[in-house]
Amino acid sequence: MAAIKKYFKKEFQVPMLTLEHDDLTDFYLSSCQKNRSAVPLLCLRMIVFLGCVGILLSSMILTIPQMNFGHWCIFLTHWGVILITITSGSAALLSLKVCIGDPNRTSTDLQLYVKIYWVLYNITVPLAVLITAFYWTFLTGADVDFAVDPVLDVFIHAVNAVVMIVLVVFSRTPSRLLHFLHPLGFGIIYVIFSVIYYAAGGLSPFGAVYIYPMLDWSSPGIAMITVVGSAIFLILGHVLIVLIALGRDKLSNRFFKDTHSMNIYSDAYN
């Protein structure tokens, strides 16, 4: 009980709102390795990134012929597909930067990459979980069939979340409770977009005045219930990721982490 109290006391301090972290190796070492090489996580991140690129291209190739590109861009699912691709790409780029070992690199350079990746990570993982839960709960039985292709449907509404969870479990990227503001802020941006799109007279590819049936601003009460419920789910999703990360770190520190090894990258950046 004392440990839990200590944890929450630490997490709810103002510095935990920032993007500062003492050990930058946590952003490019895997949770399942004893050595201090950045290569294992780079390999995993490259595989994930290439998979995400494949999902994104498949979504565009199979979907855009049935709707124009502008309509493709209005759906939160496709925002999520773009984000998982950018996030996995930034993760791979971060690992690659470390592996290349540029002798002119500085701690400031790496910290910039870390901060960009960290914000994207904080947004994308709970968002992917929300998209998966939202789709299979509310849209699979909707009057309008949102599924363009059954296989693609699974990849953009299920595999997306699995891919992000893989990045969480096999990395050491830290998760902070107060960083729930990142996915929440992104959610607010999408809500504002949906309001502007409705006010401007935008229609869905199916001719409806809404993007999603439960986000219909001609019925603001229902739309606001959806917004509040989604916000709560995003926060809970972030908390779930924090718990997964805590369990991951506990197991990693017990079975894998070699605190006695030296790392030239860690020395260079600290």
Side-chain angles (χ1 to χ4, degrees):
M1 196 68 183
I4 296 176
K5 184 178 179 180
K6 182 179 179 182
Y7 170 76
F8 280 106
K9 184 178 179 180
K10 178 184 176 182
E11 284 295 306
F12 286 98
Q13 293 179 357
V14 174
M16 291 299 169
L17 284 167
T18 69
L19 294 170
E20 301 299 329
H21 188 67
D22 292 336
D23 188 0
L24 293 182
T25 65
D26 285 341
F27 292 92
Y28 57 80
L29 294 181
S30 169
S31 61
C32 299
Q33 64 180 95
K34 286 190 175 183
N35 63 53
R36 309 292 284 179
S37 169
V39 173
L41 191 57
L42 170 63
C43 293
L44 176 62
R45 284 174 167 175
M46 286 300 300
I47 292 171
V48 169
F49 172 59
L50 293 175
C52 289
V53 170
I55 293 173
L56 174 61
L57 292 178
S58 298
S59 176
M60 297 179 73
I61 291 169
L62 293 175
T63 306
I64 291 178
Q66 302 186 39
M67 62 179 76
N68 60 49
F69 180 72
H71 279 143
W72 184 87
C73 292
I74 68 175
F75 292 104
L76 183 62
T77 292
H78 299 147
W79 286 36
V81 171
I82 293 171
L83 267 176
I84 66 170
T85 305
I86 294 174
T87 301
S88 59
S90 68
L93 183 61
L94 172 59
S95 292
L96 184 62
K97 180 176 175 62
V98 175
C99 288
I100 289 175
D102 180 1
N104 295 318
R105 67 190 187 274
T106 65
S107 59
T108 302
D109 291 334
L110 187 61
Q111 286 170 2
L112 177 61
Y113 280 88
V114 164
K115 289 176 181 179
I116 293 172
Y117 162 66
W118 203 359
V119 172
L120 288 170
Y121 169 93
N122 288 335
I123 293 172
T124 306
V125 180
L127 180 66
V129 175
L130 171 66
I131 289 171
T132 297
F134 187 86
Y135 180 81
W136 296 107
T137 302
F138 297 108
L139 297 180
T140 51
D143 294 335
V144 176
D145 187 7
F146 286 86
V148 174
D149 178 90
V151 176
L152 176 65
D153 201 35
V154 172
F155 272 89
I156 64 176
H157 295 117
V159 175
N160 60 332
V162 172
V163 163
M164 289 297 101
I165 296 298
V166 165
L167 282 183
V168 174
V169 172
F170 290 98
S171 72
R172 292 181 185 171
T173 304
S175 293
R176 294 178 179 171
L177 285 174
L178 291 183
H179 282 175
F180 78 88
L181 293 173
H182 298 163
L184 189 61
F186 181 84
I188 291 172
I189 290 173
Y190 185 78
V191 170
I192 293 173
F193 163 77
S194 71
V195 172
I196 294 173
Y197 190 78
Y198 168 76
L203 300 175
S204 77
F206 315 106
V209 297
Y210 51 76
I211 299 175
Y212 294 107
M214 61 290 305
L215 197 60
D216 181 359
W217 291 105
S218 64
S219 302
I222 295 175
M224 282 306 301
I225 291 173
T226 301
V227 169
V228 173
S230 298
I232 293 172
F233 190 93
L234 266 180
I235 295 171
L236 292 177
H238 179 76
V239 172
L240 174 63
I241 300 306
V242 171
L243 292 175
I244 292 174
L246 284 173
R248 171 205 68 195
D249 292 343
K250 187 175 181 61
L251 291 174
S252 178
N253 289 334
R254 182 173 180 180
F255 296 108
F256 295 103
K257 197 166 186 179
D258 184 1
T259 57
H260 299 291
S261 2
M262 297 299 294
N263 185 338
I264 58 171
Y265 299 117
S266 179
D267 293 341
Y269 290 121
N270 287 303

